[in-house]
Amino acid sequence: IHAVFDHPGQALQAVLQLQLALAAGEAPLGLALQVRCGLHLGTDNHRDGDFYGPAVNRAARIMGAAHGGQTLLSEALAERLAESALPAHTSLRDLGRVRLRDLAEPVRLFQLVHPQLRNEFPPLRSLEGTPNNLPQHLNSFIGREEELQQVRELLSKHRLLMLLGMGGIGKSRLSVQLGAEVLDEHADGVWLVELAPLTDARLLPQVVAAVLGVKEETTHSVVDSLLNYVRDKQLLFIFDNCEHLLSSCAALTKQLLQAGAGVKVLATSRAVLQIAGEVTCQVPTLGIPQPREGQLPLSAEALMAYDAVRLFDDRARAVQADFQVTAKNAAAVADICHRLDGIPLALELAAARTRTLSVNAIAQRLGDRFRLLTTADQTVLPRQRTLRALIDWSHDLLPLAERMLFRRLAVFAGGWTLDAAEHVGADDGLDGFGVVEALARLVEQSLVVMEFGGERYRMLDTVRHYAQEQLEAAQETAATGLRHLTFYLDFAERARPALASPDQGTWLAQLDAERENFSAAHACSARAPSGDLLGLRLMHALRPYWIRRGSLSIGWRIAHATLARDGLRARDENRCMALFGAGQISFFMGRHAAAATHLGECLAIARETGNSAVLARVLQPLGLTSVARHDYAQANTYLQEALALAQVQGDPRELAAAWSALAMLHRLQGRLDAAESACQKSLALARALGDLESVGIGLVTLAMVAVDQQSPQPATQTLAQAIELAQQTGSQRLLQSATDACAGLAALVHDWQQAAVFFGTAQAQLEEASGSSRDPADQAFVTAHMAAAHQALGGPRFLALEARGRGSEYGRGLADMRQWLTQTLPRQRVSKRVTS
């Protein structure tokens, strides 16, 4: 039990009453219940409704040193209690300084004494109570509560446990802390064997023997002496940093485990030993705050819930006593922790820089992190003095093929699949099968992380920076980048038609996973031979994805960068394609003047070149742009021509788009019957094509028409179907439009509160969709119905309900709409009919 009190006297009184009650009560079945208590004074930190932090951990360590029935107090608490009177008949006994199992410097402890309580106990259960050579640490052990519990459970069930991870991840610190936690379970001690300084594998047995104090006998080898010594012992070895001595460590570990049934081995390494009985645990990076694009940054208090931030803060305070995470530097601290991947050593090196640099200056210079992150501390191992040396240690242990693949994997951004690695990594003596083998070994060496059940791989950002340097030094950047570009171009072009198929939800998810790789591939196209055309093809293939996902800011930036390239200046089909992409995305972003310019030039080139296919395609968004600019006559001219061309060409997709655009025009003109008819035609074509998002958009349009016709029943039915399709496809555009329609329907039935909430949800979705804006017909629909809701509720009440809608999570908002459409709304309509 962990209890928190406002005042030290309350805490002492509580545990005294607890111990007195237990001592006075009758023991059930004759078994006395003996409880140990530890009290400490410190700052309370909250996270997820619970407490965390150094004060909690120190209280737990103090409790861990006690025996059943014993109550221990820290010196900080004892000093505070001395300022006021202790409870009657109570005193504190000074037990002197002891080393707790947090491995920090010795602390002074006091025992609560009372005449009705047991007051004599064996020596405290401290580090001194069991043989060990665990070192005292000069700084605190931060976080890792879950990992510590996990590895402790694994060690309780297995005799050989490997902690795996890249250098600087915190394996050594975690292993030593675990050793301190399990001291009581190993009567003959916990023994740390530090292997990093050892370069001659033949000396490994001598190093282990020296730690135990085992002497080599004249008639036996040192290995035989070790095996004889451990035969009847209960002890734990911690073999720290085995990666450069794997064969020797594996052989000796196997012999030790076979020699003594009470022997356990906890080892840290970048790679496994590969012997029977070995159980592995990958040590993760510390928890980090994620980027919050388009959102307010986390507060300083909220940031302190992340272990990486707490570590940075603790180490920065060690070099600059008045350092603290504040509102002014919180964003920079979050950025440092994120860009350094939560790697403890990297964070400690960055924190050391706060002696001479502000955190904002550190964050700005992380692009050159290998020069920035160094230490002058000569007491640490050479490979831990700089971030570069840390990764050098791992890289230098790799065979040639693995080094080759390691540097080529640097071109990936945000992870990759096995297929992608085979295509991009294979070249110059490394075939596809060689890539598979080398990738497996890079995972084993902890330089590559496997995630999502083995479906994807990634590098930590710091490791990727190092690999990029190696790729540039090998002069392979251009060739590897071109293979990366061609792979993702092919993938995007295969995905494009599938985005208008029943499988679009699956393909959208696959494209989501590769979003960063697409950006990297487009950047590469600016440098590659024939890169202008490759970049154009990539932009064209991804445009439907950006629109469906509401990622229009990214699409707009890439489309305009593509359009500006020298190779696309000629007035030909390629420039037409680039202009069309830039114009369509500009329209969806509400940049109607830019859309008119781009699409107008595209139309002119299509007429000059006689390209009827492009002509049919560009007339539809041009018509919508004219609608947005209130030029309804010009819009009708464009859309009728688009409709005619699509009919002549027999293109059902362009025909569906033309009917959909005409439905928008008719809605804005108040011609609701014509809008419904045009929408039904578009919807029939979309259904025949299996284009689920277009079906959903058509259903929403029908619902909005029904609302404007004051027909709630058909609106309810079509909206329920549209929301199911939005969830099925994952289309942000469809969901946002459906939420707008729900807001209008709620206003129609005078459920004003729900109308305001739905409007707030739609606004939040629109803002989250980077750069998106409503189309003109949807904007007119929402404006009219929300004006009625605003008037009915009054300004303050409407704004409060809208804010509630803005704050609802995606899943909650979807569930609320579904429930309202299928349960609440039908009951409301029945009630109104009964009342009338």
Side-chain angles (χ1 to χ4, degrees):
I1 296 173
H2 173 233
V4 178
F5 298 84
D6 291 330
H7 302 288
Q10 295 174 343
L12 185 65
Q13 189 66 47
V15 296
L16 178 60
Q17 291 177 10
L18 171 67
Q19 296 288 29
L20 288 172
L22 290 172
E26 262 189 57
L29 302 178
L31 299 175
L33 182 60
Q34 297 180 329
V35 173
R36 51 184 174 168
C37 300
L39 289 85
H40 182 49
L41 182 70
T43 304
D44 60 333
N45 298 309
H46 299 82
R47 177 178 59 200
D48 299 330
D50 200 359
F51 292 89
Y52 72 93
V56 176
N57 295 336
R58 178 52 62 94
R61 305 284 184 237
I62 293 172
M63 180 195 69
H67 296 277
Q70 188 176 27
T71 297
L72 300 178
L73 292 75
S74 69
E75 184 175 15
L77 183 62
E79 288 178 351
R80 181 67 63 86
L81 289 168
E83 299 172 3
S84 58
L86 295 173
H89 311 297
T90 300
S91 62
L92 300 179
R93 178 183 297 168
D94 189 345
L95 301 181
R97 300 180 71 79
V98 298
R99 285 189 68 201
L100 298 178
R101 299 184 186 185
D102 52 10
L103 301 173
E105 61 181 300
V107 297
R108 191 177 176 191
L109 294 183
F110 294 79
Q111 178 185 315
L112 177 64
V113 177
H114 191 279
Q116 296 178 27
L117 298 177
R118 176 187 172 190
N119 292 315
E120 300 300 326
F121 295 92
L124 294 179
R125 301 166 68 246
S126 61
L127 283 174
E128 290 89 349
T130 303
N132 72 89
N133 68 334
L134 301 180
Q136 174 181 322
H137 286 296
L138 302 179
N139 48 33
S140 55
F141 182 76
I142 302 289
R144 298 288 197 198
E145 289 89 353
E146 293 182 8
E147 291 91 338
L148 196 58
Q149 180 63 28
Q150 178 188 4
V151 294
R152 183 166 186 170
E153 290 177 3
L154 287 172
L155 191 62
S156 69
K157 299 173 183 176
H158 306 280
R159 294 178 60 205
L160 172 57
L161 174 61
M162 295 291 299
L163 300 185
L164 301 175
M166 66 165 286
I169 207 77
K171 305 183 299 296
S172 299
R173 192 64 181 269
L174 180 60
S175 67
V176 173
Q177 184 59 52
L178 176 60
E181 296 278 342
V182 300
L183 270 175
D184 289 346
E185 301 166 21
H186 303 89
D188 296 298
V190 174
W191 304 100
L192 173 64
V193 183
E194 299 189 43
L195 300 176
L198 183 62
T199 57
D200 188 344
R202 294 170 298 180
L203 298 179
L204 176 61
Q206 284 85 346
V207 172
V208 177
V211 168
L212 293 175
V214 174
K215 300 189 183 300
E216 186 174 2
E217 302 174 20
T218 56
T219 56
H220 296 89
S221 68
V222 66
V223 173
D224 290 336
S225 298
L226 270 175
L227 300 182
N228 288 332
Y229 177 82
V230 304
R231 204 170 304 281
D232 57 352
K233 296 292 191 298
Q234 300 285 328
L235 54 78
L236 171 67
F237 287 110
I238 301 176
F239 289 160
D240 190 29
N241 291 300
C242 302
E243 53 275 343
H244 60 305
L245 305 168
L246 283 176
S247 297
S248 298
C249 284
L252 183 59
T253 296
K254 184 175 182 179
Q255 289 175 299
L256 290 169
L257 293 174
Q258 290 176 334
V263 174
K264 288 189 175 184
V265 175
L266 172 65
T268 74
S269 177
R270 292 160 175 75
V272 295
L273 295 179
Q274 296 184 332
I275 60 176
E278 181 180 27
V279 174
T280 63
C281 179
Q282 194 77 33
V283 178
T285 57
L286 295 176
I288 57 175
Q290 296 298 322
R292 295 168 60 84
E293 295 181 11
Q295 304 180 57
L296 291 174
L298 290 172
S299 66
E301 182 180 4
L303 280 179
M304 294 303 291
Y306 293 92
D307 287 344
V309 177
R310 289 168 51 209
L311 179 71
F312 181 86
D313 175 72
D314 181 83
R315 302 311 191 246
R317 288 174 186 268
V319 300
Q320 187 180 350
D322 60 350
F323 177 85
Q324 57 182 328
V325 180
T326 65
K328 186 177 180 180
N329 65 19
V333 170
D335 186 41
I336 290 169
C337 293
H338 176 77
R339 292 172 65 191
L340 294 180
D341 307 297
I343 301 172
L345 181 60
L347 291 169
E348 291 182 344
L349 292 172
R353 281 289 187 177
T354 60
R355 188 192 307 274
T356 55
L357 295 173
S358 70
V359 288
N360 291 289
I362 295 170
Q364 292 168 5
R365 288 161 175 77
L366 283 183
D368 197 9
R369 66 190 67 187
F370 294 115
R371 291 180 62 189
L372 177 70
L373 301 183
T374 64
T375 180
D377 187 349
Q378 298 299 310
T379 64
V380 300
L381 290 169
R383 63 185 173 85
Q384 294 179 334
R385 293 176 191 166
T386 72
L387 190 59
R388 182 188 302 280
L390 178 73
I391 307 178
D392 278 340
W393 171 262
S394 298
H395 180 262
D396 292 347
L397 294 173
L398 297 176
L400 181 61
E402 290 163 39
R403 290 190 194 188
M404 191 180 298
L405 180 62
F406 173 72
R407 62 179 179 256
R408 291 173 182 173
L409 294 175
V411 297
F412 290 105
W416 63 87
T417 62
L418 181 58
D419 286 344
E422 287 182 283
H423 182 91
V424 175
D427 190 39
D428 290 343
L430 189 64
D431 60 14
F433 184 76
V435 168
V436 174
E437 291 293 304
L439 181 59
R441 289 194 293 270
L442 288 174
V443 172
E444 292 173 355
Q445 293 288 336
S446 304
L447 288 168
V448 168
V449 179
M450 184 173 70
E451 53 187 18
F452 302 132
E455 294 297 322
R456 289 187 68 78
Y457 303 83
R458 66 181 176 89
M459 280 181 176
L460 297 180
D461 193 51
T462 297
V463 177
R464 182 172 175 248
H465 269 71
Y466 181 92
Q468 284 174 329
E469 290 187 355
Q470 300 298 315
L471 187 67
E472 291 169 5
Q475 298 183 341
E476 294 181 349
T477 302
T480 309
L482 183 58
R483 292 197 299 273
H484 178 274
L485 169 59
T486 56
F487 178 84
Y488 284 104
L489 173 59
D490 176 70
F491 178 61
E493 289 183 332
R494 285 187 288 113
R496 190 179 193 280
L499 293 182
S501 76
D503 295 328
Q504 63 183 258
T506 300
W507 281 93
L508 279 170
Q510 292 182 40
L511 290 166
D512 285 343
E514 305 296 356
R515 185 185 300 229
E516 293 180 61
N517 277 312
F518 291 132
S519 294
H522 189 271
C524 178
S525 72
R527 304 182 298 270
S530 303
D532 290 341
L533 294 182
L534 294 175
L536 173 63
R537 286 171 55 192
L538 184 62
M539 182 271 288
H540 176 69
L542 290 174
R543 189 179 66 253
Y545 166 70
W546 292 324
I547 293 171
R548 281 166 168 78
R549 275 295 187 243
S551 303
L552 296 179
S553 291
I554 299 173
W556 185 87
R557 185 175 68 249
I558 290 179
H560 281 74
T562 303
L563 185 60
R565 292 182 179 176
D566 291 338
L568 298 174
R569 303 285 185 188
R571 294 176 68 81
D572 57 14
E573 182 179 349
N574 292 329
R575 182 162 180 80
C576 258
M577 189 186 300
L579 287 163
F580 179 83
Q584 188 183 43
I585 291 175
S586 295
F587 169 78
F588 280 113
M589 294 183 74
R591 302 183 179 198
H592 300 130
T597 299
H598 295 317
L599 294 171
E601 185 182 349
C602 179
L603 177 67
I605 296 173
R607 293 196 192 281
E608 290 170 13
T609 58
N611 193 327
S612 58
V614 173
L615 193 61
R617 190 178 303 123
V618 73
L619 284 166
Q620 182 260 339
L622 251 179
L624 292 177
T625 300
S626 296
V627 169
R629 304 179 83 186
H630 307 293
D631 188 349
Y632 298 153
Q634 183 63 68
N636 188 63
T637 299
Y638 282 142
L639 294 178
Q640 292 296 341
E641 184 180 0
L643 186 66
L645 279 172
Q647 288 172 331
V648 169
Q649 294 170 4
D651 187 336
R653 198 171 303 282
E654 293 303 326
L655 194 58
W659 280 121
S660 178
L662 279 167
M664 178 193 292
L665 175 60
H666 295 326
R667 280 171 59 203
L668 274 173
Q669 293 176 315
R671 302 171 59 208
L672 298 180
D673 290 343
E676 182 179 2
S677 174
C679 187
Q680 290 285 13
K681 293 173 181 176
S682 175
L683 191 55
L685 289 164
R687 283 180 170 139
L689 290 166
D691 186 346
L692 299 185
E693 185 186 49
S694 294
V695 170
I697 293 294
L699 291 170
V700 171
T701 302
L702 280 180
M704 288 182 173
V705 169
V707 170
D708 286 342
Q709 292 171 332
Q710 299 189 10
S711 303
Q713 179 130 6
T716 304
Q717 295 170 347
T718 53
L719 268 181
Q721 297 173 46
I723 287 173
E724 291 300 324
L725 285 174
Q727 185 173 25
Q728 181 179 343
T729 62
S731 170
Q732 298 295 324
R733 175 171 168 245
L734 173 55
L735 178 63
Q736 186 270 318
S737 190
T739 310
D740 276 342
C742 280
L745 177 57
L748 174 65
V749 299
H750 294 180
D751 189 348
W752 305 116
Q753 295 187 27
Q754 199 62 67
V757 170
F758 285 152
F759 176 67
T761 304
Q763 287 292 96
Q765 292 167 353
L766 194 66
E767 290 164 6
E768 288 174 10
S770 173
S772 295
S773 69
R774 290 185 177 90
D775 67 47
D778 284 8
Q779 186 61 56
F781 173 88
V782 169
T783 299
H785 290 287
M786 289 310 99
H790 192 280
Q791 183 176 5
L793 291 167
R797 180 62 175 154
F798 180 90
L799 292 174
L801 291 165
E802 180 193 344
R804 184 201 301 174
R806 283 177 180 269
S808 65
E809 297 179 356
Y810 169 82
R812 182 71 265 163
L814 203 63
D816 288 347
M817 280 193 292
R818 187 182 289 111
Q819 182 180 14
W820 185 78
L821 285 168
T822 58
Q823 299 176 27
T824 308
L825 180 58
R827 287 200 303 270
Q828 287 178 338
R829 291 208 299 272
V830 169
S831 174
K832 287 178 181 177
R833 285 198 295 272
V834 170
T835 302
S836 62

